[in-house]
Amino acid sequence: MSKNTSQGPGFAAGPDREQQLRDLYKAAGIPYGVRLGPIEHDYGPAQARLDSIHASCLREIQNLSALRARLMKDRSYLELSELERSRMDLTFNALNGARLAAEYEGVPPADIDTAEETGKTGTPWVHGPSHQHLGRIEQLSDDLEQAHDLIDAYERSFTVGQELIAAQRQTIGAQREKIAALERANAELSQRLSPTPGKIAELEERLDHARREVTQLWDKIEDYQWERGTYRTGPTPDEMIAPADRSGEPDPGMKTETDPPSDTTTEIGEAITSAIEEALSGQADAWSSEDGPPPTDPATGSGPEPEATP
């Protein structure tokens, strides 16, 4: 009878089973926020300042060590020229001063030694920091500072853009007000230049009334002239109302539609008065008592009626 080696559903035998158990324990025993949540520890500005100081010290040590390695070029101190020995001595003194400054700032001695050893290979800090974490923090800090500068530039550009937009909106509003004012002025001018139907009807009614009055007054003038024995010498009613020459051109003195309206009845009344005065003044020139009766019209044979004798 064979032995059952099954370990249960979902689990494999051997090392894979142990790995699955460890993963299951981590998933069940450690909360998700602890396993994959963001870091909540506040390092604060003091820690950021300390990291910056340590990175600056290690940078100087590594750079001076790299400079000394390039001056030596795999030679001994005795093989150097006098000028090279002077530069080497200055570099060595500067490196010792950088180490003392790093120790004073609290940089661990192991980090100081690592920076000097990394520099002996001829590698400066910018090409390969000896402290990986501080180098990465410095790089991220530079990126963050550049991002802040870029954000500030974008904010300034945005502010300038908003000001330009506000100025353009004011200009557009002013132009719209000017257009509205021009449209109102155009409407008023069109209303003035275009007579309404009511105004035209009123003018026609006044003209018809004036025609009737002229006709009535002219009839009275003719009756008066025939009674007095004078002849009509003034213009006809049609000529007084609408004077025009034979060529069809209007009289320059005639009122047109574009002229401002006037009192038509008053003008016609003045013309009638002038015609009456002309007729009365012509009576004296028609004949006198010494010349005898006025001549008879050869066409109609009309003349003054004979006076009745008592």
Side-chain angles (χ1 to χ4, degrees), residues 225-231 281-295 303-305 307:
Q225 287 178 335
W226 288 113
E227 289 178 359
R228 303 295 297 175
T230 60
Y231 294 96
S281 64
Q283 179 183 1
D285 298 335
W287 76 86
S288 63
S289 59
E290 299 177 355
D291 295 337
E305 296 180 358
E307 297 181 356

Side-chain angles (χ1 to χ4, degrees), residues 48-95:
R49 180 178 178 276
L50 184 62
D51 292 339
S52 177
I53 293 174
H54 287 186
S56 178
C57 293
L58 294 177
R59 173 192 285 263
E60 187 174 1
I61 293 172
Q62 184 174 341
N63 290 338
L64 289 172
S65 179
L67 177 60
R68 186 181 66 174
R70 293 187 180 188
L71 289 175
M72 292 295 295
K73 297 179 181 178
D74 297 332
R75 297 176 295 175
S76 65
Y77 184 79
L78 298 176
E79 295 176 350
L80 301 177
S81 63
E82 185 177 356
L83 178 60
E84 289 175 341
R85 289 179 183 179
S86 299
R87 294 181 62 185
M88 181 64 69
D89 293 340
L90 292 174
T91 304
F92 181 76
N93 293 332
L95 178 59

Side-chain angles (χ1 to χ4, degrees), residues 217-235 240 270-287:
L217 292 174
W218 197 261
D219 291 341
K220 293 181 180 180
I221 291 173
E222 287 185 343
D223 294 341
Y224 178 80
Q225 287 178 335
W226 288 113
E227 289 178 359
R228 303 295 297 175
T230 60
Y231 294 96
R232 173 175 54 84
T233 59
M240 295 176 63
E270 293 177 357
I272 296 302
T273 304
S274 177
I276 293 174
E277 292 178 354
E278 183 181 356
L280 293 177
S281 64
Q283 179 183 1
D285 298 335
W287 76 86

Side-chain angles (χ1 to χ4, degrees), residues 19-34:
Q19 181 65 35
Q20 291 178 357
L21 288 175
R22 285 195 297 268
D23 294 341
L24 179 62
Y25 175 76
K26 288 189 297 183
I30 302 176
Y32 177 83
V34 176

